Amino acid sequence: LFLGGIIVKFRFLGTAAAEGMPAVFCNCRFCQRARELGGKEIRTRSQAIINDDFLLDLPADTYTHFLQNNIRGDKIKYVFFTHSHQDHLYTGEFNMRNGAYAHDMEVPTLQVYCTQGAYGKLKEYPNVSVTLMKPYERVTAGDYEVIGLPARHADGDEAVFYIIKHQDKTILYAHDTGLFFDEVMEYLEKGKFQFDFISFDCTNGDLIFKDTCSHMGFNHISRVMEKMKQFGAITEKTILYVNHFSHNGNPITENLEKLAAPLGLKISYDG
């Protein structure tokens, strides 16, 4: 995505939930269909990159994402973790920033940011610096300003989703989370945030769950969008996407597009 004016590049690297799409060991009709169709229906675990240096989450599929998208890992400066679940936090790659594993890196030290849940699962790695964040805390990472908002996800993990400001653009990357907490909505309204780009969690797809669920589908997304439009966080210029799909929610693109179009949403896909 190229957000107009000052160019800010945003790319979805992986767009599936923990099990992938088709799921690793599943043979349901949705997974069968995804295997038949291939292409955009094949989804790896959730991850995104901004410009060439800012990663959102680090799943075990990161190496594949780098190969498929011609990404040089040594140029990555920052990694922000949403939470500590295994499809978002895979620390094994950090050991590869060391000695014989990595020569002539453009960025010698990788800056990692996370809240308490992920922080508790990290240790000292070579050429990696880890910063503990608090929800609502503003963090400056190079030219980026980042705020973690409390997510309705992973009780006790202090999971967050992110506001990311770069140049004159503001991005909301809302994964993994269920229906936004009232306090988050109040924070967005009082802060007069206006987003150029938003990616919403759509794990549940066309399924209907209780408001306490730890993921969203189109039902919850539409309600969040309605409120955000009321206080100006979403305008007619905001680019709106859905992401993080589970095989349980019928994430075949044709189905997703029928549900997304009336809401003005676009469907993400790997790459």
Side-chain angles (χ1 to χ4, degrees):
L1 296 172
F2 295 88
L3 307 182
I6 300 291
I7 294 178
V8 179
K9 296 187 294 182
F10 183 100
R11 177 172 288 189
F12 293 102
L13 301 178
T15 55
E19 70 275 14
M21 178 63 189
V24 183
F25 296 110
C26 185
N27 193 37
C28 74
R29 60 192 176 96
F30 301 136
C31 290
Q32 289 181 32
R33 186 61 175 153
R35 292 187 185 99
E36 291 170 3
L37 293 172
K40 293 180 180 180
E41 310 303 336
I42 306 301
R43 301 177 181 276
T44 55
R45 279 78 169 199
S46 180
Q47 187 179 38
I49 188 170
I50 300 174
N51 298 320
D52 299 314
D53 59 1
F54 187 113
L55 276 182
L56 286 154
D57 288 328
L58 193 91
D61 294 331
T62 297
Y63 181 54
T64 296
H65 294 164
F66 284 8
L67 293 176
Q68 291 175 338
N69 295 277
N70 194 29
I71 294 169
R72 270 182 50 189
D74 73 293
K75 294 177 71 173
I76 303 296
K77 296 178 181 177
Y78 317 107
V79 179
F80 280 78
F81 284 108
T82 56
H83 62 302
S84 71
H85 285 171
Q86 64 181 5
D87 57 320
H88 294 259
L89 174 67
Y90 173 68
T91 60
E93 300 295 12
F94 290 157
N95 290 309
M96 300 299 104
R97 292 183 61 83
N98 183 36
Y101 296 121
H103 301 287
D104 304 322
M105 290 185 291
E106 183 170 310
V107 178
T109 302
L110 180 66
Q111 304 292 325
V112 173
Y113 299 83
C114 60
T115 50
Q116 186 59 57
Y119 189 82
K121 295 186 178 181
L122 293 169
K123 59 180 182 179
E124 289 190 10
Y125 293 94
N127 304 314
V128 176
S129 175
V130 183
T131 298
L132 176 64
M133 299 174 61
K134 293 292 183 182
Y136 299 115
E137 178 184 5
R138 291 176 182 261
V139 171
T140 300
D143 294 331
Y144 303 91
E145 183 180 275
V146 184
I147 304 168
L149 303 177
R152 191 188 296 272
H153 191 78
D155 289 346
D157 195 78
E158 212 172 67
V160 291
F161 58 98
Y162 287 112
I163 298 171
I164 304 143
K165 292 186 175 183
H166 182 65
Q167 304 291 353
D168 63 344
K169 303 303 177 188
T170 306
I171 293 168
L172 182 66
Y173 186 76
H175 312 278
D176 293 19
T177 184
L179 198 65
F180 292 8
F181 289 119
D182 290 341
E183 67 178 65
V184 170
M185 285 296 198
E186 291 169 7
Y187 177 82
L188 294 176
E189 183 173 8
K190 289 179 180 178
K192 300 184 184 302
F193 290 95
Q194 191 173 96
F195 295 104
D196 297 283
F197 173 77
I198 300 176
S199 178
F200 286 112
D201 183 295
C202 195
T203 309
N204 295 334
D206 57 8
L207 302 175
I208 305 296
F209 284 93
K210 295 180 180 179
D211 288 355
T212 54
C213 182
S214 62
H215 286 288
M216 291 196 291
F218 287 102
N219 175 261
H220 284 149
I221 291 168
S222 64
R223 290 165 57 187
V224 169
M225 286 177 56
E226 183 179 358
K227 287 185 179 180
M228 292 179 69
K229 287 178 179 178
Q230 289 173 1
F231 55 78
I234 292 176
T235 72
E236 69 279 358
K237 295 181 180 180
T238 307
I239 300 169
L240 300 165
Y241 268 77
V242 285
N243 181 22
H244 200 279
F245 303 106
S246 167
H247 70 141
N248 294 304
N250 188 5
I252 301 302
T253 301
E254 183 180 13
N255 178 60
L256 294 174
E257 288 176 342
K258 290 178 181 178
L259 296 165
L263 299 174
L265 293 162
K266 297 180 184 295
I267 309 302
S268 65
Y269 58 90
D270 287 20

